[in-house]
């Protein structure tokens, strides 16, 4: 800022604002509140007491602390991740135990895009809908399901061959 512009800016400021005050750096002067905008003392006291009363009325995190041991909404009991040997070195990873609250076809599409593999959702008469993915995706599935908070680490049951 040039000296001439600074002198013009400081000349327009009230006496209480000096050129080194923070008011000059913002380029706007805010007048102090007028006595007419202040609340009467009775309203001030009632406002402060109501604010103190509302301070202890509701704890939004109380449920999260109590229900920390329960399973998340997306799991029945455990999510079973299995691997099956196909012909040669080809393998198939299956995921079972995700509740019906989640659309398994959309979840399979997200998994296929994330892991760059093919997959499908099959219906089993005993186990319900099962997600099948090509390749050994056990580690990737565990990390993905924990990341999207569909399951906790202790709820994933990873089976071997």
């Amino acid at each position: 800022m040039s000296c001439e512009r600074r002198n013009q800016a400081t000349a327009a400021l009230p006496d209480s604002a000096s050129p080194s005050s923070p008011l000059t750096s913002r380029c706007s002067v805010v007048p102090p509140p007028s006595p007419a905008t202040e609340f009467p003392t009775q309203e001030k006291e009632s406002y402060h007491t109501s604010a103190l009363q509302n301070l202890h009325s509701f704890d939004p995190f109380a449920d999260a602390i109590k229900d920390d041991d329960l399973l998340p909404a997306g799991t029945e009991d455990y999510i079973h991740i299995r691997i099956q040997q196909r012909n040669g070195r080809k393998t198939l990873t299956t995921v079972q135990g995700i509740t019906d609250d989640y659309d398994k076809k959309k979840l399979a599409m997200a998994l296929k895009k994330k892991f760059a593999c093919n997959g499908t959702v099959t219906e089993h008469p005993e186990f319900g809908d099962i997600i099948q993915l090509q390749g050994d995706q056990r580690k990737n599935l565990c990390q993905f399901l924990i990341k999207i908070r569909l399951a906790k680490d202790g709820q994933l049951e990873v089976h071997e061959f």
Side-chain angles (χ1 to χ4, degrees):
M1 183 181 253
S2 69
C3 293
E4 292 175 11
R5 292 181 72 193
R6 182 175 298 200
N7 290 339
Q8 289 174 355
T10 55
L13 291 175
D15 295 334
S16 63
S18 66
S20 62
S21 72
L23 292 175
T24 58
S25 64
R26 294 188 188 136
C27 299
S28 64
V29 178
V30 179
S34 64
T37 59
E38 292 186 21
F39 296 111
T41 57
Q42 187 179 21
E43 288 182 23
K44 278 185 184 177
E45 291 174 10
S46 66
Y47 173 75
H48 290 297
T49 56
S50 66
L52 290 174
Q53 291 171 354
N54 289 336
L55 187 64
H56 301 289
S57 64
F58 178 69
D59 184 12
F61 300 108
D63 295 338
I65 294 169
K66 284 190 271 184
D67 298 333
D68 196 41
D69 296 337
L70 297 177
L71 303 174
T75 59
E76 294 169 350
D77 192 17
Y78 286 101
I79 294 179
H80 297 276
I81 300 173
R82 294 182 172 88
I83 188 167
Q84 298 174 356
Q85 185 75 34
R86 288 179 41 210
N87 49 353
R89 293 177 53 193
K90 308 287 184 184
T91 56
L92 185 71
T93 305
T94 60
V95 183
Q96 166 205 339
I98 299 173
T99 62
D100 294 332
D101 298 338
Y102 294 94
D103 189 3
K104 294 183 183 61
K105 289 188 179 186
K106 288 185 179 181
L107 183 60
M109 282 178 30
L111 291 170
K112 287 167 27 177
K113 284 183 182 181
K114 179 78 175 171
F115 305 145
C117 66
N118 198 7
T120 186
V121 177
T122 60
E123 190 169 329
H124 192 273
E126 183 180 350
F127 302 122
D129 291 336
I130 296 175
I131 299 174
Q132 294 180 343
L133 298 171
Q134 285 183 350
D136 188 3
Q137 305 293 340
R138 291 176 292 179
K139 289 181 185 178
N140 295 336
L141 272 168
C142 291
Q143 292 171 354
F144 184 78
L145 294 176
I146 291 170
K147 182 179 178 183
I148 65 169
R149 296 182 181 174
L150 190 68
K152 294 180 182 174
D153 192 28
Q155 296 166 320
L156 296 175
E157 188 73 30
V158 180
H159 301 276
E160 299 298 323
F161 284 104

PDB file of all heavy atoms in Angstrom, residues 57-75:
ATOM      1  N   SER A  57     -28.436 -31.141  29.519  1.00  0.00           N
ATOM      2  CA  SER A  57     -29.700 -31.799  29.216  1.00  0.00           C
ATOM      3  C   SER A  57     -29.555 -33.043  28.349  1.00  0.00           C
ATOM      4  O   SER A  57     -30.296 -33.984  28.513  1.00  0.00           O
ATOM      5  CB  SER A  57     -30.649 -30.810  28.543  1.00  0.00           C
ATOM      6  OG  SER A  57     -30.110 -30.412  27.300  1.00  0.00           O
ATOM      7  N   PHE A  58     -28.589 -33.082  27.413  1.00  0.00           N
ATOM      8  CA  PHE A  58     -28.528 -34.197  26.472  1.00  0.00           C
ATOM      9  C   PHE A  58     -27.084 -34.483  26.109  1.00  0.00           C
ATOM     10  O   PHE A  58     -26.336 -33.576  25.784  1.00  0.00           O
ATOM     11  CB  PHE A  58     -29.333 -33.859  25.220  1.00  0.00           C
ATOM     12  CG  PHE A  58     -29.283 -34.927  24.174  1.00  0.00           C
ATOM     13  CD1 PHE A  58     -29.901 -36.142  24.371  1.00  0.00           C
ATOM     14  CD2 PHE A  58     -28.598 -34.715  22.991  1.00  0.00           C
ATOM     15  CE1 PHE A  58     -29.850 -37.124  23.407  1.00  0.00           C
ATOM     16  CE2 PHE A  58     -28.543 -35.697  22.024  1.00  0.00           C
ATOM     17  CZ  PHE A  58     -29.183 -36.900  22.223  1.00  0.00           C
ATOM     18  N   ASP A  59     -26.712 -35.744  26.163  1.00  0.00           N
ATOM     19  CA  ASP A  59     -25.377 -36.162  25.756  1.00  0.00           C
ATOM     20  C   ASP A  59     -25.504 -36.993  24.489  1.00  0.00           C
ATOM     21  O   ASP A  59     -25.974 -38.132  24.537  1.00  0.00           O
ATOM     22  CB  ASP A  59     -24.713 -36.988  26.856  1.00  0.00           C
ATOM     23  CG  ASP A  59     -23.280 -37.369  26.509  1.00  0.00           C
ATOM     24  OD1 ASP A  59     -22.734 -36.801  25.534  1.00  0.00           O
ATOM     25  OD2 ASP A  59     -22.715 -38.223  27.203  1.00  0.00           O
ATOM     26  N   PRO A  60     -25.123 -36.465  23.318  1.00  0.00           N
ATOM     27  CA  PRO A  60     -25.316 -37.201  22.074  1.00  0.00           C
ATOM     28  C   PRO A  60     -24.412 -38.416  21.929  1.00  0.00           C
ATOM     29  O   PRO A  60     -24.680 -39.285  21.115  1.00  0.00           O
ATOM     30  CB  PRO A  60     -25.008 -36.164  20.993  1.00  0.00           C
ATOM     31  CG  PRO A  60     -24.125 -35.181  21.646  1.00  0.00           C
ATOM     32  CD  PRO A  60     -24.534 -35.152  23.095  1.00  0.00           C
ATOM     33  N   PHE A  61     -23.365 -38.522  22.725  1.00  0.00           N
ATOM     34  CA  PHE A  61     -22.438 -39.633  22.597  1.00  0.00           C
ATOM     35  C   PHE A  61     -22.670 -40.718  23.637  1.00  0.00           C
ATOM     36  O   PHE A  61     -21.906 -41.668  23.712  1.00  0.00           O
ATOM     37  CB  PHE A  61     -20.992 -39.124  22.706  1.00  0.00           C
ATOM     38  CG  PHE A  61     -20.660 -38.129  21.631  1.00  0.00           C
ATOM     39  CD1 PHE A  61     -20.506 -36.795  21.943  1.00  0.00           C
ATOM     40  CD2 PHE A  61     -20.532 -38.521  20.323  1.00  0.00           C
ATOM     41  CE1 PHE A  61     -20.208 -35.874  20.966  1.00  0.00           C
ATOM     42  CE2 PHE A  61     -20.235 -37.615  19.336  1.00  0.00           C
ATOM     43  CZ  PHE A  61     -20.077 -36.289  19.647  1.00  0.00           C
ATOM     44  N   ALA A  62     -23.691 -40.596  24.448  1.00  0.00           N
ATOM     45  CA  ALA A  62     -23.942 -41.578  25.493  1.00  0.00           C
ATOM     46  C   ALA A  62     -24.269 -42.947  24.901  1.00  0.00           C
ATOM     47  O   ALA A  62     -23.820 -43.972  25.396  1.00  0.00           O
ATOM     48  CB  ALA A  62     -25.076 -41.116  26.401  1.00  0.00           C
ATOM     49  N   ASP A  63     -25.051 -42.990  23.814  1.00  0.00           N
ATOM     50  CA  ASP A  63     -25.405 -44.264  23.200  1.00  0.00           C
ATOM     51  C   ASP A  63     -24.192 -44.944  22.583  1.00  0.00           C
ATOM     52  O   ASP A  63     -24.071 -46.158  22.631  1.00  0.00           O
ATOM     53  CB  ASP A  63     -26.466 -44.056  22.119  1.00  0.00           C
ATOM     54  CG  ASP A  63     -27.777 -43.566  22.697  1.00  0.00           C
ATOM     55  OD1 ASP A  63     -27.998 -43.789  23.910  1.00  0.00           O
ATOM     56  OD2 ASP A  63     -28.567 -42.970  21.952  1.00  0.00           O
ATOM     57  N   ALA A  64     -23.304 -44.173  22.004  1.00  0.00           N
ATOM     58  CA  ALA A  64     -22.126 -44.753  21.359  1.00  0.00           C
ATOM     59  C   ALA A  64     -21.205 -45.391  22.381  1.00  0.00           C
ATOM     60  O   ALA A  64     -20.578 -46.412  22.099  1.00  0.00           O
ATOM     61  CB  ALA A  64     -21.376 -43.681  20.577  1.00  0.00           C
ATOM     62  N   ILE A  65     -21.124 -44.818  23.563  1.00  0.00           N
ATOM     63  CA  ILE A  65     -20.255 -45.373  24.599  1.00  0.00           C
ATOM     64  C   ILE A  65     -20.846 -46.674  25.140  1.00  0.00           C
ATOM     65  O   ILE A  65     -20.150 -47.659  25.323  1.00  0.00           O
ATOM     66  CB  ILE A  65     -20.052 -44.346  25.729  1.00  0.00           C
ATOM     67  CG1 ILE A  65     -19.276 -43.150  25.182  1.00  0.00           C
ATOM     68  CG2 ILE A  65     -19.328 -44.967  26.903  1.00  0.00           C
ATOM     69  CD1 ILE A  65     -19.249 -41.973  26.121  1.00  0.00           C
ATOM     70  N   LYS A  66     -22.168 -46.710  25.371  1.00  0.00           N
ATOM     71  CA  LYS A  66     -22.800 -47.898  25.918  1.00  0.00           C
ATOM     72  C   LYS A  66     -22.840 -49.039  24.910  1.00  0.00           C
ATOM     73  O   LYS A  66     -22.613 -50.178  25.249  1.00  0.00           O
ATOM     74  CB  LYS A  66     -24.232 -47.577  26.354  1.00  0.00           C
ATOM     75  CG  LYS A  66     -24.309 -46.811  27.648  1.00  0.00           C
ATOM     76  CD  LYS A  66     -25.723 -46.748  28.117  1.00  0.00           C
ATOM     77  CE  LYS A  66     -26.386 -45.532  27.535  1.00  0.00           C
ATOM     78  NZ  LYS A  66     -27.737 -45.295  27.982  1.00  0.00           N
ATOM     79  N   ASP A  67     -23.136 -48.747  23.643  1.00  0.00           N
ATOM     80  CA  ASP A  67     -23.326 -49.785  22.643  1.00  0.00           C
ATOM     81  C   ASP A  67     -22.047 -50.122  21.887  1.00  0.00           C
ATOM     82  O   ASP A  67     -22.110 -50.680  20.799  1.00  0.00           O
ATOM     83  CB  ASP A  67     -24.399 -49.338  21.649  1.00  0.00           C
ATOM     84  CG  ASP A  67     -25.743 -49.127  22.312  1.00  0.00           C
ATOM     85  OD1 ASP A  67     -26.004 -49.772  23.336  1.00  0.00           O
ATOM     86  OD2 ASP A  67     -26.520 -48.325  21.803  1.00  0.00           O
ATOM     87  N   ASP A  68     -20.894 -49.807  22.425  1.00  0.00           N
ATOM     88  CA  ASP A  68     -19.643 -50.037  21.719  1.00  0.00           C
ATOM     89  C   ASP A  68     -19.362 -51.528  21.527  1.00  0.00           C
ATOM     90  O   ASP A  68     -18.700 -51.917  20.576  1.00  0.00           O
ATOM     91  CB  ASP A  68     -18.496 -49.378  22.471  1.00  0.00           C
ATOM     92  CG  ASP A  68     -17.266 -49.238  21.612  1.00  0.00           C
ATOM     93  OD1 ASP A  68     -17.403 -48.886  20.431  1.00  0.00           O
ATOM     94  OD2 ASP A  68     -16.170 -49.491  22.125  1.00  0.00           O
ATOM     95  N   ASP A  69     -19.878 -52.386  22.422  1.00  0.00           N
ATOM     96  CA  ASP A  69     -19.619 -53.813  22.318  1.00  0.00           C
ATOM     97  C   ASP A  69     -20.534 -54.500  21.312  1.00  0.00           C
ATOM     98  O   ASP A  69     -20.272 -55.618  20.905  1.00  0.00           O
ATOM     99  CB  ASP A  69     -19.798 -54.489  23.686  1.00  0.00           C
ATOM    100  CG  ASP A  69     -18.775 -53.975  24.689  1.00  0.00           C
ATOM    101  OD1 ASP A  69     -17.721 -53.487  24.250  1.00  0.00           O
ATOM    102  OD2 ASP A  69     -19.045 -54.072  25.895  1.00  0.00           O
ATOM    103  N   LEU A  70     -21.622 -53.848  20.912  1.00  0.00           N
ATOM    104  CA  LEU A  70     -22.567 -54.466  19.999  1.00  0.00           C
ATOM    105  C   LEU A  70     -22.034 -54.460  18.574  1.00  0.00           C
ATOM    106  O   LEU A  70     -21.156 -53.690  18.214  1.00  0.00           O
ATOM    107  CB  LEU A  70     -23.911 -53.731  20.051  1.00  0.00           C
ATOM    108  CG  LEU A  70     -24.616 -53.773  21.398  1.00  0.00           C
ATOM    109  CD1 LEU A  70     -25.882 -52.955  21.339  1.00  0.00           C
ATOM    110  CD2 LEU A  70     -24.936 -55.192  21.813  1.00  0.00           C
ATOM    111  N   LEU A  71     -22.595 -55.315  17.760  1.00  0.00           N
ATOM    112  CA  LEU A  71     -22.194 -55.421  16.363  1.00  0.00           C
ATOM    113  C   LEU A  71     -22.766 -54.257  15.573  1.00  0.00           C
ATOM    114  O   LEU A  71     -23.829 -53.754  15.899  1.00  0.00           O
ATOM    115  CB  LEU A  71     -22.706 -56.740  15.782  1.00  0.00           C
ATOM    116  CG  LEU A  71     -22.260 -58.009  16.495  1.00  0.00           C
ATOM    117  CD1 LEU A  71     -22.957 -59.209  15.886  1.00  0.00           C
ATOM    118  CD2 LEU A  71     -20.774 -58.167  16.411  1.00  0.00           C
ATOM    119  N   PRO A  72     -22.091 -53.830  14.509  1.00  0.00           N
ATOM    120  CA  PRO A  72     -22.669 -52.789  13.683  1.00  0.00           C
ATOM    121  C   PRO A  72     -23.898 -53.291  12.945  1.00  0.00           C
ATOM    122  O   PRO A  72     -24.170 -54.491  12.902  1.00  0.00           O
ATOM    123  CB  PRO A  72     -21.559 -52.421  12.703  1.00  0.00           C
ATOM    124  CG  PRO A  72     -20.495 -53.400  12.871  1.00  0.00           C
ATOM    125  CD  PRO A  72     -20.752 -54.179  14.107  1.00  0.00           C
ATOM    126  N   ALA A  73     -24.617 -52.376  12.329  1.00  0.00           N
ATOM    127  CA  ALA A  73     -25.894 -52.713  11.715  1.00  0.00           C
ATOM    128  C   ALA A  73     -25.751 -53.640  10.526  1.00  0.00           C
ATOM    129  O   ALA A  73     -26.687 -54.306  10.149  1.00  0.00           O
ATOM    130  CB  ALA A  73     -26.604 -51.429  11.281  1.00  0.00           C
ATOM    131  N   GLY A  74     -24.593 -53.706   9.904  1.00  0.00           N
ATOM    132  CA  GLY A  74     -24.438 -54.471   8.682  1.00  0.00           C
ATOM    133  C   GLY A  74     -24.120 -55.932   8.865  1.00  0.00           C
ATOM    134  O   GLY A  74     -23.976 -56.661   7.895  1.00  0.00           O
ATOM    135  N   THR A  75     -24.006 -56.404  10.091  1.00  0.00           N
ATOM    136  CA  THR A  75     -23.592 -57.786  10.282  1.00  0.00           C
ATOM    137  C   THR A  75     -24.608 -58.543  11.112  1.00  0.00           C
ATOM    138  O   THR A  75     -25.249 -57.990  12.001  1.00  0.00           O
ATOM    139  CB  THR A  75     -22.234 -57.848  11.000  1.00  0.00           C
ATOM    140  OG1 THR A  75     -22.367 -57.192  12.252  1.00  0.00           O
ATOM    141  CG2 THR A  75     -21.158 -57.186  10.196  1.00  0.00           C
TER     142      THR A  75
END
